[in-house]
Amino acid sequence: MLRHARIGSLDLETGGHLPDVSLAYEAWGTLNEDATNAVLVAHALTGSTHVARGSSEEDGWWDALVGPGKTVDTDRFFVVAVNMLGGCYGSTGPSSLDAQGRPWGSRFPFVTIRDSVRAEARLADLLGIQAWHTVLGGSLGGARALEWAVTEPGRVNRCAVIACTAASSAEQIAFGQAQLDAIRLDPDFNGGDYYNGRAPVAGLGLARRIAHITYRSEAELEYRFGRQPQAQEEPLGSVLPGARGRYAVESYLDHQGRKLAGRFDANSYLLLTEALMSHDVARGRGTVRQALADVDAEFFIAAVDSDRLYLPQQSSDLAAALPRTTDVHMISAPIGHDGFLTDVEQIGVPLRERFFGEP
Ligand SMILES: CC(=O)SCCNC(=O)CCNC(=O)[C@H](O)C(C)(C)COP(=O)(O)OP(=O)(O)OC[C@H]1O[C@@H](n2cnc3c(N)ncnc32)[C@H](O)[C@@H]1OP(=O)(O)O
Ligand SMILES: N[C@@H](CCO)C(=O)O
């Protein structure tokens, strides 16, 4: 069940101000008396709070990892998932109404991952959680988990950073920028103030296509689609370069773009993408090693071996910068970056052994 917590006003890292912030979250299990069993799960770029299914609800995106009897056992742990500040799954974001009842749109301020951590720390206060047993997440969720451990040392006992880096790389920023422009160049974007008109679904769909290619490996796309034409459409090849049907991979990406545009707000997509582009755990803290020097948390770092967006080497660099020796657990999956969602059971055993064994 989606719940909402009013956390008050928030001054943001780059100077913006939000007068009245509400965070949407879901929770599973029961907080124990000394509040030592709380686990925070951070979603990725387009994920929601719906990590795991409840009694009779729809599937969660990490059902394989979180639930009764699972590694993150909701019979033993109090699990919380928060929609990131600026998102579109219930928390205050660009599509929310301001005090005058107008959507924030283009006036919504720049939000960094550190801002989202500070907001979530207020939620933790309201929930009576002084320190998380574990904070974990993949991709943007990994950046959020890492920032939690550094921004709030002492409030994170264990931290799992999956398929994520210490800082967004030039290439990650470059792919992000192409996605931002795809949205901003959609005539329906209207500078971000489109809530009373048509939404920029074409731009958002194109952004998702660009992103989705980076989330999958070359080998997966080749294996699944090759040069196949999309079934039941005009044949390819003989009719080129005139009217033609689509390659199957084009049809697949069109589907992915349409699907995302049907469930996500373009301004939130921009905001969260920019937040991720700004991710740099060392910003204002010296080197990465210096930034991590005082973290108290025990770390679990994982990467996907076929990830061409968040390279395994970057996870190794992050692990090497931690004060305590930490291996990188490798998820072996041909799919690419999305392997942290599709093959998550591969981190279940090591996470159970390291973090979630019997209390
Ligand atoms: C409220 C909410 O929805 S919360 C948000 C849920 N999502 C998240 O949390 C984000 C994380 N999840 C994801 O990114 C994805 O769901 C993943 C990575 C876990 C799985 O990716 P998917 O896109 O589902 O898997 P996959 O790559 O196999 O694509 C399957 C889809 O492509 C479609 N497809 C496959 N081949 C083709 C083709 N040639 N032409 C058109 N469509 C195609 C399938 O029909 C299927 O469609 P469906 O998703 O509408 O059922
Ligand atoms: N496919 C995931 C991965 C992003 O890292 C998402 O859309 O959130």
Side-chain angles (χ1 to χ4, degrees), residues 46-48 50 58 61 89 208 212 215-216 220 224-225 230 248-249 251-252 255-256 259 263 335 338 341-342:
T46 73
S48 67
H50 201 56
E58 63 181 298
W61 50 264
Y89 284 124
R208 182 60 162 184
H212 197 76
Y215 298 158
R216 299 302 168 97
E220 198 230 0
R224 281 178 77 173
F225 304 108
Q230 179 63 11
V249 70
S251 166
Y252 170 71
H255 179 78
Q256 295 293 340
K259 200 165 82 166
R263 71 172 175 87
I335 193 169
D338 269 346
L341 293 162
T342 59

